[in-house]
Amino acid sequence: MTDKKSETRLQWARRHLRNGYIILTTRGAVALYGAAMRELAKLIDSPVGVFLAPRDLLRDGPRFLREQGLRAACGAVLRQIAAQYDPPLGRRRNPINDPLRQAAISYYYTYELTKPDGVVPSRRPVNEMDFALETPFAYDAGPKRAHSIVAIVHAFYPDVLPLVLEKLHNVPGALDLCVSTDTEEKQRAVDEVCADWRKGKVLTRICPNRGRDIAAKFFGFRDVYANYELFIHVHTKRSPHGGEALARWRDYLIDNLLGSERIVRSILSLFDDPRLGVVFPQHLFELRGILNWGYDYDLARNLLKRMNIEIDKNLTLEFPSGSMFWGRTAAIRPLLDIDIGFADFPPESGQVDGTLAHAIERSLLMIAESRGFEWLKVAQRDLYPMGHTLLPVHSVDDLAAHRLKVFQPALACVDSNFHPYATPIAETRPLLSYPSRNDRPRLTLLTPTVNPQQTFGGIATAMKLFSALLAELGDEFDARIVVTDADIEPQAYATLSGYTPIPYAASLDTERAALVDANEREGGRLNVRANDIFFATAWWTAEFALAMERERARYFGGARPFIYLIQDDEPNFYGRGAKSSLAEATYHHGDQTIAIVNSEELFSVMTGKYRFRDAYYVPYELNERIGERLTNVAREPTMLVYGRETVARNAFELICAALVVWQQRDPVRASRWNIVFLGEDFPDSLLYPVQNATVGGKARLDDYADHLSRALVGVSLMISPHPSYPPLEMAEAGLATITNAFAGKDLRRRFDNIVSPARLDPASLADLIEDTVARMEPFVGAIVPRRRHSAPPADAMRRFDPKTLAAELRRAAASPLYATGETSRSISASTCEIY
């Protein structure tokens, strides 16, 4: 590889001309233009950097220019142009994901821990992408059934109470009234104002002037909530600390919640949805710049821990600012049930932040979500200046689509690049989730790719087992394939024509068979159903499956297993380090894991090392298509080598070194033999000085069968307990096959024409190659029949059977979920921590 630090200008020019020619001849002039823009970005800015889309120039360009400078801004624009025109090396522009790009929500955020003044910053959606339902609805909305409702009012300023009661008259039907204040004198004034209330019962109480309206409404009437399904929280709010900017805050909140009977009926109709827990007004626009954790983060975190809820500042902060909202009692039950009293709140001293009351306000939606409830925001068009963010509701059908924009879960990770190792270990970029309203059971395959040229070996096995399970499950389960590592190409869509291509974005999730391109992560989410069961195919997809199951449990409750197709002891793929640790960790979720282990040998090793809920093995069987195409033809002096230069466990370098040793000491015989490397494409220059060798690449099955029919010797190494299919296929086709033993693996037990070196070094392997070639040379021109293999002993009850596993999946999908609000769930909101 060229050392760029010492590269001359002539060498630099030659390298770029050569690369340009390759791009032009393989991908065309448009891709060449994109690559040129990328190189220009490197010269102007740096080899790596951010992207700045043309549609974001006006919005983000000035800020980016101020913060990063002209060179970085130019580089960002050039990178985006390069990504548009040269997607193989830049950002993917799969048209299936166009809705993802159009709907992706951007956030104001910093990883900075605190501001200079000690304030903890928050993640917030940018103003242009913070949506709310427009009220009143454009149709005659109203609840389908009557709800028991109580209005809980804190009247610190009794002179404002008549205005509040006037608005509460807009609530249709009965409405009981609970009013608190802080002195006996004020209580007399409150009683006088409430004397004419005719919509229901009235209860007034005196509460200490600690914790303001928050303490009074939640804990002053703690005993009341059990009698009502719904409540509305309002208070006689004044904001003297906010000056003119906040003078209209109280009226803004009350008018958006109670401004007319049509508005109230619209809001109450939302609660016909049993999963809705809170409805609150869109934030007063003047407040949007200061919506953060302030000095309340530690208070909120400690409070939520008492309810078994873990948070981090990387989550989106959303809350009913001003603490006026409609709510469902079940949604706030964890807060009512913990031991908090007025003495836990500081004495009143005009605090504007940093109190338990402020922390409770910021925690409300997280508490509701921990019980499986959702929330929505509302606003009137004439009260909020950003009209395009208000979604008009013309019919009840609009609500399902608008929910996808308005409800952005506060407990769900939204950072697709959270991990410090998201770039060096790119496959671990988190999948983000969104709760689906479709309750049908579904089996979701998480696979790195489905592209035909990449679908071999483990991917092919995964697709085969997935299809077998779906065939057994029939119409009872929907199907979904989520591709995590490679952009789905047109050929793959054509091959999987029975699946509906959908973007990696929250949707109505109605497809019976869906194909999701999740390689482009940023800004998207994966729909998660109450009865999703995930099928993992590699260690990082097992991480995703575990994370999605945690998300599913948080949204819907209950427990579901996940299927883990274990195709090797994957930590051994890497040196001791982060990857090997992450891979090994995925085997330690035994209670959740249904393991399907590829081969009897690997099954013995993995079940000996790890405990799984259930474990099955997939026995070796020659690919049916290969078996059909094996022919009895005269054998040739050909050696097949399974040579994957990019896969360390196939020991490509060791094989090449052994071949050189053999050829150089036995040149006459070696000159008569051809060597064909199969498995993947690579430059034939990597074989030098091996002689008489060609690179066959990833052969089609028909061509592979022809090679197996004609060759006499095979070499295939696998430095792991998995037997690997190529040596077994070579041996069954009649080739004298050289492969290695490993802990728990000795393939000589399967075929008597398999040999293994005593030591795995070039000299020992060369000795075995020389002996094997000499032994097989007399069979040149002869017919060598197929061999029958002997499977190693294994428990027949543990053999993978689609019918048995399908029955287990049906039982799992039928196991109970928590009824909404039934019990508090111990959950972690830090779902970016997916291992």
Side-chain angles (χ1 to χ4, degrees), residues 283-344:
H283 304 284
L284 181 71
F285 190 76
E286 289 83 350
L287 284 172
R288 299 198 67 87
I290 58 172
L291 293 173
N292 55 40
W293 281 107
Y295 301 102
D296 309 312
Y297 179 79
D298 282 347
L299 289 166
R301 186 181 181 210
N302 291 331
L303 171 73
L304 290 167
K305 278 185 176 180
R306 296 174 63 181
M307 292 172 263
N308 297 318
I309 304 168
E310 287 287 346
I311 64 167
D312 60 59
K313 67 176 283 289
N314 200 33
L315 300 172
T316 303
L317 177 63
E318 187 60 273
F319 62 101
S321 55
S323 64
M324 297 193 202
F325 58 96
W326 285 91
R328 193 185 298 272
T329 294
I332 63 162
R333 177 52 62 187
L335 180 62
L336 299 175
D337 286 346
I338 62 175
D339 184 17
I340 289 182
F342 286 95
D344 295 299

Side-chain angles (χ1 to χ4, degrees), residues 365-382:
L365 300 185
M366 294 177 172
I367 293 169
E369 287 187 28
S370 77
R371 296 291 293 264
F373 290 100
E374 299 179 2
W375 48 264
L376 292 170
K377 291 191 285 190
V378 296
Q380 296 180 68
R381 188 166 292 276
D382 60 347

Side-chain angles (χ1 to χ4, degrees), residues 67 145 158 175 178 181 189 251 381 470 511 527 533 545 628 670 743:
E67 295 177 357
R145 66 178 181 84
L175 179 66
C178 294
T181 192
D251 292 341
R381 188 166 292 276
L470 288 175
E511 297 81 10
N527 292 314
I533 294 177
E628 291 173 350

